[in-house]
Amino acid sequence: PRRANGARRAWLIVEADPEMRRSLEALIRELDVAVLGVANALDALSVLDKCRVDLVMTEERLPGPSGTMLLRAVRYRWPHVARVLVGDPRDPEVLMRAVNECGVQRILSKRMHPVTLRDEVGAALNDAWLASPDCHSGRLTIPPFAASQPASSGERDASLHLAVPTLRATGT
């Protein structure tokens, strides 16, 4: 479905592998949504500060902050944005973090059939809409953010550090 004002929904795909990102973007466009693609969490936060996004789909393993770190920041800064993690379903620590800390609507595997993956991501957006307080009126209203009142760079940096713990290199 489109937004109440008739605009297409926008999804942000965060995928480090450029070829996989292009494939996912093409697949998701079949759902008549605008698709934005970036390679890491910091670029994703920059897009979210500038654009109205309805859903963020990210893999767990990204250069820099992980996918769950990104989704945790999204949950607190943009709670109306649906969140989907694409990761290894055999990693219980990541799965628990995704559910408990990030409030994801779906956890998907890259090994899923592409059409199933596309449909599950669409269902996640539907779930977010059904959970919204405006669902009963048949329209989803998303409060304006960033584009109308951009945070100063200091505020963005402070909130990023609060949401994304400091990462330290480990010796091998």
Side-chain angles (χ1 to χ4, degrees):
R2 290 181 176 245
R3 293 185 183 132
N5 66 3
R8 285 192 314 164
R9 300 221 178 262
W11 292 6
L12 176 59
I13 308 287
V14 187
E15 167 63 55
D17 178 5
E19 188 174 317
M20 175 65 85
R21 188 172 56 249
R22 282 190 296 276
S23 295
L24 288 170
E25 289 171 5
L27 188 67
I28 299 301
R29 280 192 186 96
E30 293 177 12
L31 295 172
D32 190 32
V33 297
V35 181
L36 306 163
V38 297
N40 61 64
L42 297 177
D43 288 347
L45 290 171
S46 178
V47 167
L48 287 161
D49 274 337
K50 296 172 188 162
C51 301
R52 185 172 172 175
V53 172
D54 300 292
L55 181 138
V56 173
M57 182 171 99
T58 182
E59 66 175 321
E60 173 61 7
R61 295 182 182 151
L62 296 171
S66 70
T68 50
M69 288 180 175
L70 168 63
L71 293 175
R72 186 178 331 128
V74 171
R75 179 182 192 181
Y76 291 102
R77 290 180 66 189
W78 301 280
H80 62 277
V81 173
R83 296 165 302 280
V84 174
L85 178 70
V86 179
D88 184 352
R90 298 170 294 179
D91 188 341
E93 184 179 314
V94 170
L95 299 178
M96 287 178 54
R97 201 169 46 241
V99 171
N100 296 332
E101 297 175 19
C102 306
V104 298
Q105 278 77 22
R106 293 282 192 286
I107 300 171
L108 306 175
S109 170
K110 282 187 180 179
R111 297 179 192 162
M112 294 178 102
H113 187 278
V115 173
T116 303
L117 183 75
R118 180 202 63 203
D119 293 346
E120 285 295 320
V121 174
L125 185 59
N126 264 350
D127 291 350
W129 181 79
L130 290 172
S132 78
D134 294 320
C135 174
H136 301 291
S137 67
R139 60 188 167 80
L140 177 61
T141 56
I142 299 174
F145 59 94
S148 60
Q149 296 179 340
S152 71
S153 62
E155 288 172 338
R156 275 194 303 269
D157 292 343
S159 61
L160 175 61
H161 291 296
L162 288 174
V164 181
T166 302
L167 299 176
R168 294 190 177 107
T170 58
T172 55

